[in-house]
Amino acid sequence: MADNYNPSGSLQFERTDKHRLGRIKGKWEDAMMAEIPEANERAWNQGAEEVTDGQVDSDAEVRAIGDWYRSKLKEGDEEPAPAPQREPSQELLDVRQEWDHFEGRRGEGSIHYDPTSGETGPGIVDGVGAAADYGNRATDDYHNRFIPHLNAQANLEALEIGDAGSRHLDRFEGAVPELASGDIKDLYNYYSKKITA
């Protein structure tokens, strides 16, 4: 049996015993590989079942299975009409712009501490002054850059999740079923007993 597994380009065929492997053998296996090399053996066998009597024993049957396979590929290529694109809300765009502003400053990193920078006079280095200056700048950075960046990120993610949910809800093609019973309390009591049992 040939090693003809090719996941890319192959269709998803039924996985049943009806299309068992090993049905196409010998020169017909070679002919199938020449006709549709991108298909796998399961596809060959399903085609043999649907197009022929199940046993491939002629060049005409090989060509018929090849035609069947190509028609199946064309069916898979036909895509439904795309749903109309929903534009993001202005609120989402504004929050995204705010977040981008903070992301642009992300490379600044933490506040630099230089213990030799605090001068109290010409040529006199004051380590205490440098530490106090660093503390003030780090606190300002924490409250004016870091925390607002986290808030902007949380707002953006919340709005993106809401926007994605709305977009998928707009694509929903089904219908919400009507309840058979008029009283929701009876249904709750019935199913809650089933769940907790």
Side-chain angles (χ1 to χ4, degrees):
M1 183 165 76
D3 180 20
N4 60 352
Y5 175 71
N6 180 8
S8 63
S10 292
L11 296 173
Q12 292 294 327
F13 290 91
E14 298 174 29
R15 293 192 173 272
T16 65
D17 291 335
K18 178 171 91 173
H19 310 298
R20 68 186 183 279
L21 301 178
R23 178 179 297 192
I24 301 171
K25 298 182 176 167
K27 72 176 189 174
W28 302 117
E29 183 178 25
D30 296 336
M32 289 301 295
M33 286 178 61
E35 180 71 24
I36 43 176
E38 70 276 7
N40 57 33
E41 187 177 0
R42 190 172 299 279
W44 296 349
N45 289 322
Q46 185 173 344
E49 184 71 31
E50 293 189 19
V51 176
T52 70
D53 60 356
Q55 299 298 326
V56 178
D57 51 14
S58 73
D59 289 327
E61 289 179 343
V62 169
R63 283 191 300 278
I65 294 171
D67 293 340
W68 169 86
Y69 181 79
R70 285 184 283 278
S71 71
K72 284 287 199 178
L73 283 178
K74 287 179 185 172
E75 287 174 16
D77 288 343
E78 296 171 2
E79 296 180 12
Q85 290 293 337
R86 179 187 164 123
E87 295 296 321
S89 67
Q90 186 60 42
E91 182 182 15
L92 178 61
L93 294 173
D94 292 342
V95 171
R96 176 62 191 222
Q97 186 175 8
E98 179 187 2
W99 182 78
D100 285 340
H101 166 73
F102 285 112
E103 276 295 297
R105 294 185 58 195
R106 190 171 194 183
E108 294 175 11
S110 63
I111 301 298
H112 176 68
Y113 173 61
D114 184 4
T116 62
S117 66
E119 294 188 17
T120 56
I124 302 173
V125 175
D126 180 17
V128 174
D133 181 54
Y134 168 76
N136 291 336
R137 287 185 296 125
T139 300
D140 289 343
D141 180 68
Y142 180 79
H143 289 288
N144 296 328
R145 183 183 63 92
F146 181 71
I147 295 295
H149 177 242
L150 290 180
N151 289 337
Q153 183 174 355
N155 289 338
L156 175 65
E157 289 172 357
L159 286 172
E160 284 177 340
I161 289 170
D163 189 63
S166 297
R167 188 170 48 253
H168 291 301
L169 190 59
D170 289 347
R171 290 182 8 186
F172 181 67
E173 295 178 357
V176 178
E178 294 292 325
L179 294 176
S181 172
D183 190 11
I184 193 73
K185 185 175 181 182
D186 293 338
L187 289 173
Y188 173 77
N189 289 335
Y190 175 78
Y191 285 109
S192 65
K193 290 176 186 170
K194 297 279 185 189
I195 293 170
T196 57

